[in-house]
C-alpha cells in the first residue's frame, strides 16, 4: 500500500513538472526552423513590383525566365526550373539602398519567412538598382509572408 501511494505521488509530481515549460498567453516559444535553399540566379533587373514572388505555376516561371533571358546578352541562357516536384522557387527583390545584396540565413515559422540580407555595393552593377535573387527551397512549402532582416 505504501509503495502504491509513493508511485502515485511521484507520478503526480512528474505530470505537474511537465506542464511548467509551456508558454503562457503572454509568452511565445521560439519555433523558427532553418530552411535549406539554393540560390539559382542572382542578377540586377526589375522583374517584380513587390519584394518577393513565389512561383506557383510553370507559366509564372516561364514568364520570369523569359524576361531574364531577354535581358541576357550571352548566347547561353538560364535554364527554366520545373515548378513543383518537391521544390519551391521564390523571386526575391528587396528594396535596398545599395546596388546589390548578399543572402544569409533563411528561416521560417508557420509560413512566415525571415531572410537575412547584407546590402553591398557591387562594381558590376554600378548603373543598376534592382538586385534580385531567385532561390530554390528544397521542399514544397506555403509562403505567407517574407521579412528581410538587414545586417551590416
Amino acid at each position: 500500500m505504501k509503495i502504491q501511494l509513493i508511485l502515485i505521488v511521484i507520478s503526480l509530481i512528474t505530470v505537474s513538472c511537465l506542464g511548467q515549460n509551456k508558454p503562457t498567453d503572454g509568452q511565445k516559444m521560439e519555433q523558427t526552423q532553418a530552411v535549406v535553399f539554393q540560390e539559382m540566379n542572382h542578377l540586377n533587373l526589375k522583374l517584380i513590383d513587390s519584394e518577393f514572388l513565389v512561383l506557383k505555376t510553370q507559366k509564372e516561371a516561364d514568364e520570369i525566365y523569359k524576361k531574364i533571358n531577354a535581358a541576357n546578352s550571352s548566347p547561353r541562357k538560364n535554364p527554366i526550373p520545373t515548378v513543383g516536384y518537391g521544390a519551391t522557387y521564390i523571386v526575391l527583390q528587396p528594396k535596398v539602398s545599395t546596388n546589390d545584396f548578399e543572402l544569409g540565413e533563411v528561416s521560417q515559422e508557420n509560413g512566415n519567412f525571415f531572410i537575412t540580407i547584407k546590402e553591398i555595393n557591387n562594381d558590376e552593377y554600378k548603373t543598376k538598382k534592382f538586385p534580385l535573387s531567385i532561390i530554390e527551397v528544397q521542399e514544397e512549402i506555403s509562403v505567407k509572408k517574407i521579412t528581410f532582416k538587414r545586417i551590416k
Side-chain angles (χ1 to χ4, degrees), residues 28-37 90 105-116 137 139-147 149:
K28 184 178 179 185
M29 187 178 281
E30 189 68 29
Q31 296 177 356
T32 60
Q33 299 172 343
V35 173
V36 178
F37 74 96
I90 307 170
E105 296 178 350
V106 177
S107 61
Q108 70 96 16
E109 177 183 3
N110 298 324
N112 296 311
F113 278 67
F114 306 96
I115 299 177
T116 303
V137 176
E139 60 184 299
E140 289 185 57
I141 48 161
S142 173
V143 179
K144 297 176 187 172
K145 178 181 175 185
I146 293 180
T147 302
K149 295 180 180 179

Side-chain angles (χ1 to χ4, degrees), residues 57-146:
T57 66
Q58 189 62 49
K59 183 177 178 181
E60 286 177 320
D62 292 345
E63 289 173 8
I64 288 292
Y65 275 84
K66 183 177 181 180
K67 291 177 187 177
I68 290 172
N69 287 330
N72 181 358
S73 60
S74 169
R76 187 164 184 235
K77 302 300 181 186
N78 293 293
I80 301 172
T82 303
V83 174
Y85 302 102
T88 302
Y89 296 92
I90 307 170
V91 180
L92 304 171
Q93 193 151 34
K95 292 175 177 56
V96 293
S97 59
T98 59
N99 65 1
D100 203 2
F101 66 91
E102 293 176 345
L103 284 174
E105 296 178 350
V106 177
S107 61
Q108 70 96 16
E109 177 183 3
N110 298 324
N112 296 311
F113 278 67
F114 306 96
I115 299 177
T116 303
I117 62 169
K118 180 179 180 182
E119 294 185 23
I120 61 171
N121 284 308
N122 184 338
D123 290 339
E124 187 179 338
Y125 298 147
K126 279 184 180 178
T127 61
K128 299 180 180 182
K129 57 183 179 180
F130 299 108
L132 73 89
S133 180
I134 298 177
I135 63 170
E136 174 190 38
V137 176
Q138 319 260 295
E139 60 184 299
E140 289 185 57
I141 48 161
S142 173
V143 179
K144 297 176 187 172
K145 178 181 175 185
I146 293 180

Side-chain angles (χ1 to χ4, degrees), residues 43-58:
L43 50 143
N44 204 308
L45 175 68
K46 178 75 170 160
L47 279 182
I48 57 176
D49 293 325
S50 60
E51 289 193 293
F52 73 94
L53 172 67
V54 178
L55 301 178
K56 296 178 184 163
T57 66
Q58 189 62 49

